[in-house]
Amino acid sequence: MWKSIGRQLLPAEERGSGISIFRPISGFRDRADVNGFPVLRDDGKPLRDRVVIMYSAATVYDVPQTSGTPLPEDMIAQNLSGDVPRGFEEDTDLSIGRIGYALSEEELTGGRKGSTTTNGSKRIVIKAGLPPSERVRAKMHEVGHVAAGHVNEQHYLECHTGAGGMSSSMEVEADSIGHVMLRMNSMNPNSGISQYAAGWASVQSDDPDVVKNTAAGVLRAVKTLISEHDWRNAITLERPPAEPRNSSACR
């Protein structure tokens, strides 16, 4: 990929360790009609769809680990813009406490700005040194994971790994929750969030049920978060009733 845009990896001793990700592996599946019979093309052969069949581990490298032609401006992710409304970060920290998680700022590697534990320790870790707008955005993204039920260890193992992996849906869901909460609390995020969510959405299944379930998960989580306490900057006329979180099934 780097070669196609005029860049190459630095020597191993200079670039350091790569970033481990889950990458989608696609295959083909015969399309069936509502009765389960194969849909045929005009030539009589089965119509086949390309689908994601599983995820596997892969190593990728960040821009500073490469050299060569400067990246086009439209390929560079922009940080979150917009001032943090007075009291919003305090409300966010209060929300993290209300959902039973401890918050800390630490050094994180691999380009990560936030992380949430899945081993039962209930910790949200934010990268130290982020500017206020990016720090709040990272917090809300991690809150989105918790509110959507992604951090139960068994749920994580079942939904984030293996042939049934749902990592793309989970990232789209968490970032969408964060985006809605930022907007509802009077922040004006630029394309940084949409670029991140769009990147994961590009490998998410385009099955209408998956899209619909992801949207429903975002709505459920936002309703729960906004009802847990009085967000002093929230743009809402009425606090909607909270809906119970459901972390027992993969959405």
Side-chain angles (χ1 to χ4, degrees):
M1 183 273 183
W2 289 116
K3 289 183 179 179
S4 68
I5 56 175
R7 297 184 68 83
Q8 53 280 326
L9 291 176
L10 294 172
E13 61 273 14
E14 294 182 36
R15 69 175 182 256
S17 301
I19 304 167
S20 295
I21 65 168
F22 287 109
R23 67 179 179 92
I25 297 177
S26 62
F28 289 94
R29 181 174 61 194
D30 291 348
R31 185 180 299 182
D33 62 21
V34 294
N35 296 313
F37 295 107
V39 176
L40 303 179
R41 304 185 312 193
D42 292 340
D43 61 5
K45 295 182 179 179
L47 183 62
R48 311 195 76 194
D49 296 314
R50 181 181 289 275
V51 297
V52 175
I53 57 175
M54 64 178 297
Y55 288 85
S56 69
T59 301
V60 297
Y61 297 91
D62 200 2
V63 179
Q65 296 173 295
T66 67
S67 63
T69 305
L71 290 179
E73 195 164 323
D74 62 358
M75 292 186 68
I76 301 175
Q78 301 298 314
N79 282 338
L80 185 68
S81 66
D83 294 332
V84 180
R86 185 185 300 273
F88 179 43
E89 186 163 18
E90 290 81 355
D91 283 344
T92 302
D93 293 349
L94 179 59
S95 179
I96 291 172
R98 284 182 178 272
I99 58 180
Y101 276 68
L103 175 66
S104 63
E105 291 189 26
E106 301 174 15
E107 293 299 325
L108 295 177
T109 60
R112 295 179 302 158
K113 295 181 180 180
S115 177
T116 301
T117 60
T118 59
N119 60 2
S121 60
K122 292 191 174 184
R123 295 177 60 240
I124 288 178
V125 180
I126 302 301
K127 182 177 181 179
L130 291 176
S133 58
E134 281 296 294
R135 186 173 64 240
V136 172
R137 184 263 188 192
K139 289 178 181 180
M140 284 308 316
H141 176 89
E142 299 307 324
V143 168
H145 276 303
V146 178
H150 298 162
V151 292
N152 172 278
E153 184 173 28
Q154 186 61 34
H155 179 271
Y156 183 89
L157 292 173
E158 291 175 354
C159 297
H160 199 75
T161 60
M166 295 290 288
S167 57
S168 58
S169 295
M170 290 162 68
E171 291 302 324
V172 170
E173 200 169 300
D175 222 52
S176 298
I177 292 165
H179 180 81
V180 172
M181 291 298 295
L182 290 172
R183 293 293 290 155
M184 289 184 71
N185 284 276
S186 306
M187 279 195 71
N188 184 30
N190 67 4
S191 61
I193 288 183
S194 59
Q195 287 174 349
Y196 180 85
W200 280 102
S202 66
V203 297
Q204 183 179 8
S205 169
D206 58 3
D207 184 324
D209 286 338
V210 172
V211 176
K212 182 171 64 176
N213 290 339
T214 299
V218 171
L219 180 59
R220 266 195 307 271
V222 168
K223 282 184 175 181
T224 298
L225 289 171
I226 207 68
S227 68
E228 284 183 331
H229 69 87
D230 290 316
W231 297 76
R232 67 198 79 180
N233 297 286
I235 304 172
T236 179
L237 298 178
E238 184 178 341
R239 292 172 64 190
E243 295 191 21
R245 295 189 186 99
N246 179 8
S247 60
S248 61
C250 302
R251 287 192 295 276

